Amino acid sequence: MTVLDKAVEGDVTAPARRRRPTGALLTGGLAVALVGLIPVAASLGAYPVPVGHVLASVRHHVGLGGGELDRVAESVLWNVRFPRIVLALLVGASLGCAGALMQGVFGNPLAEPGVIGVSSGAAVGAVAVIAFGIDFLGTWTVSLFAFASGLVTVLLVYAMSRSGGRTEVVTLILTGIAVNAFAGALIGLFLFFADTAAINQITFWQLGSLSQATWPKVLAVLPCAAIGLGIAPLYARRLDLLSLGERPARHLGVDVERLRIVLVLVIALLTAAAVSVSGIIGFVGLVVPHLLRMAAGPGHRLLVPASAVLGALVLLAADLTARTVAAPAELPLGVLTALLGSPFFFWLLRRTRRRQGGWA
C-alpha cells in the first residue's frame, strides 16, 4: 500500500468511514427523492398529465407494457417535459459537483464555480452572439459560443494567475474577480449596441431558464456532464489530503499543481456546459455542498457524488417551482435560486466569521 493510500485510509477519512452508513443512507434517500420527483415534475404544468399516465407512457416507450396516451399528452411529455427534466438533472448535477470540487480545490467553503470566471465568460460569448445577430450555426450558435468562451476564460484566468510554475489560490481567486468585472463591462458594452429584441433575449438568458430545453440541447450537454461527473470522484482521496494543507499533501505524494490544473478544467467543463444551455444559475454550486457537508461530514468520496445527486434534485425542484408557482407565467430560474441562495450565503458568512472569531 502506498503512502497516499495509508494516509487516506488511516488518517484523513477515518471519520468519513465511521459516518459511511449515514452517508450511504443520505445518498440513497436523495436518489429516492429524485426518482420520486421526476414523474411529479412531468405531470405538472399548463397541460396537467396524471402521474399514473406519465408512468404508463414511460413503460410503453421502454417496452414494459403500459398504454400510449393521446397525441397531445404524448407530445407534451416527450417533446417538452422530459427534455426539460433531463436537462435540469444534468445542469443541476454539473453545478453541484463543480461546487464541491471548487471548495475542495480552493480550501474555501465560500467558493463557487463563478469565482474563476467561467459563468461570466460564457455569458460574454452568448451575449455577443445575441447582440450582433450571429447565427451561422443555427440554434446551436449561442450554446457553442457560450461553452467555448467559458472554457477560454478559465484557461486565461489560470494562465494569468501562474507564477514561477505554481498557482496560488488567492491569486487565482483575485484574477477571477478581475476577469468577472471585465466580462461584466463587455456585456454592458454589447447591450449598448444591441437592439430591443436582442436586449430582451439577453436579459432572459442572463436570468437563467430551462424553458428552451430540447433533446438536441440535452445531447449537447450530456457528453461534457458525463466526462466531468465521471472524472470528479477519482480525485476524492487527493482532495481529502489537500484539505490538510498544500505542504502535507505534497509530502504524502500529491502533485498539488497537477491536481489543481485537472480539477479546474473539470470545473470549467461542467460549468460551461451547464451555463451554455441554461443561462446563469447561481448559488447551486455554493449551497449544495454545504448542506451535505453539514449533514454527512467533509469526506469527498461521499461529498462529490452526493453533491451531483442533490444538485440535480435542487434544480429540478426549483425549475418545477419556477414554472408552476406563478402559472401561466414562468419565473426566471436563476432569479429563484438567487432568492433562495442569497439568505443561505449570508447565514453561512456570519456563521463562518463567528466560528473564526472575526476576520479583522
Side-chain angles (χ1 to χ4, degrees), residues 106-173:
F106 287 171
N108 190 328
L110 302 180
E112 61 99 20
V115 170
I116 56 175
V118 59
S119 297
S120 59
V124 169
V127 170
V129 168
I130 297 171
F132 297 112
I134 303 172
D135 62 352
F136 64 92
L137 295 174
T139 57
W140 293 85
T141 308
V142 174
S143 297
L144 289 177
F145 268 74
F147 177 74
S149 61
L151 284 180
V152 169
T153 302
V154 170
L155 294 176
L156 179 63
V157 168
Y158 196 84
M160 292 173 62
S161 62
R162 286 178 63 86
S163 178
R166 295 181 55 188
T167 304
E168 295 181 353
V169 172
V170 175
T171 305
L172 189 66
I173 293 176

Side-chain angles (χ1 to χ4, degrees), residues 4-66:
L4 184 149
D5 291 333
K6 290 179 181 179
V8 172
E9 294 295 336
D11 297 329
V12 177
T13 58
R17 187 163 59 247
R18 287 195 297 269
R19 283 191 296 266
R20 185 172 296 176
T22 303
L25 183 63
L26 176 63
T27 305
L30 291 174
V32 169
L34 182 60
V35 172
L37 183 60
I38 289 174
V40 175
S43 70
L44 298 177
Y47 185 90
V49 180
V51 173
H53 291 181
V54 172
L55 297 177
S57 179
V58 172
R59 290 198 304 269
H60 174 75
H61 278 77
V62 298
L64 297 177

Side-chain angles (χ1 to χ4, degrees), residues 326-337:
E330 180 175 321
L331 294 177
L333 183 57
V335 172
L336 182 61
T337 58

